[in-house]
């Protein structure tokens, strides 16, 4: 969405080598408040992304772009596992659900948010397409 912005040299994370193929992207996203990493100063580039982390990144990017991020879904009314959402991700995930970016996952007759579950490649592709078509258009 941003093309190839210049991120400058270096990265704010202890585990992102300057020569890594993703270093410039991570540095740019960090410099613009889109990704924050973990409390220990790491980014953990090899880990799978959770659904709430994905929501937070998209929320931060939408905020950076000046898109409307004021909408919120009542997650507790829809998902029995809404109480498992991390504090930092509560507003971003409520926004992402309201914006129809991240929906529930049907399992055993109920629909779950699975905030700390990994997002599959298919889910990430669908979420990014929804973002592009519904938010960034």
């Amino acid at each position: 969405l941003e093309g190839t912005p210049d991120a400058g040299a270096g990265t704010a994370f202890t585990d992102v080598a300057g020569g890594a193929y993703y270093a410039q992207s991570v540095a740019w996203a960090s410099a613009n408040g889109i990704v924050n990493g973990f409390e220990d100063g790491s980014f953990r580039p090899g880990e799978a992304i959770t659904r709430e982390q994905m929501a937070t990144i998209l929320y931060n990017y939408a905020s950076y772009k000046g898109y409307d991020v004021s909408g919120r879904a009542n997650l507790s009314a829809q998902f029995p596992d809404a109480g498992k959402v991390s504090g930092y991700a509560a507003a971003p995930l409520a926004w992402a659900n309201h914006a129809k970016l991240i929906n529930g996952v049907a399992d055993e007759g109920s629909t779950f948010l699975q905030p700390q579950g990994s997002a599959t490649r298919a889910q990430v592709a669908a979420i990014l397409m929804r973002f592009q078509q519904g938010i960034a258009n």
Side-chain angles (χ1 to χ4, degrees), residues 49-52 84-86 88 93 113-118:
I49 192 167
T50 67
R51 292 165 58 84
E52 67 183 10
K84 295 181 179 180
V85 176
S86 298
Y88 76 87
L93 201 47
L113 195 53
Q114 296 181 340
Q116 295 171 12
S118 296

Side-chain angles (χ1 to χ4, degrees), residues 2 58-70 95 131 135-136:
E2 290 299 311
L58 291 174
Y59 177 86
N60 290 343
Y61 180 73
S63 296
Y64 164 80
K65 293 296 284 185
Y67 301 145
D68 182 9
V69 293
S70 63
W95 167 78
F131 184 87
I135 306 297

Side-chain angles (χ1 to χ4, degrees), residues 21-118:
Y21 73 90
Y22 51 83
Q24 284 277 2
S25 300
V26 172
W28 178 86
S30 175
N32 289 288
I34 297 163
V35 297
N36 298 311
F38 294 88
E39 291 177 359
D40 65 359
S42 67
F43 183 69
R44 303 178 192 170
E47 284 188 8
I49 192 167
T50 67
R51 292 165 58 84
E52 67 183 10
Q53 289 168 344
M54 182 82 182
T56 302
I57 290 170
L58 291 174
Y59 177 86
N60 290 343
Y61 180 73
S63 296
Y64 164 80
K65 293 296 284 185
Y67 301 145
D68 182 9
V69 293
S70 63
R72 301 284 186 278
N74 182 348
L75 299 178
S76 297
Q78 299 178 63
F79 305 104
D81 60 343
K84 295 181 179 180
V85 176
S86 298
Y88 76 87
L93 201 47
W95 167 78
N97 182 254
H98 171 78
K100 302 188 183 331
L101 300 178
I102 296 180
N103 303 309
V105 177
D107 187 23
E108 298 180 18
S110 292
T111 302
F112 295 89
L113 195 53
Q114 296 181 340
Q116 295 171 12
S118 296

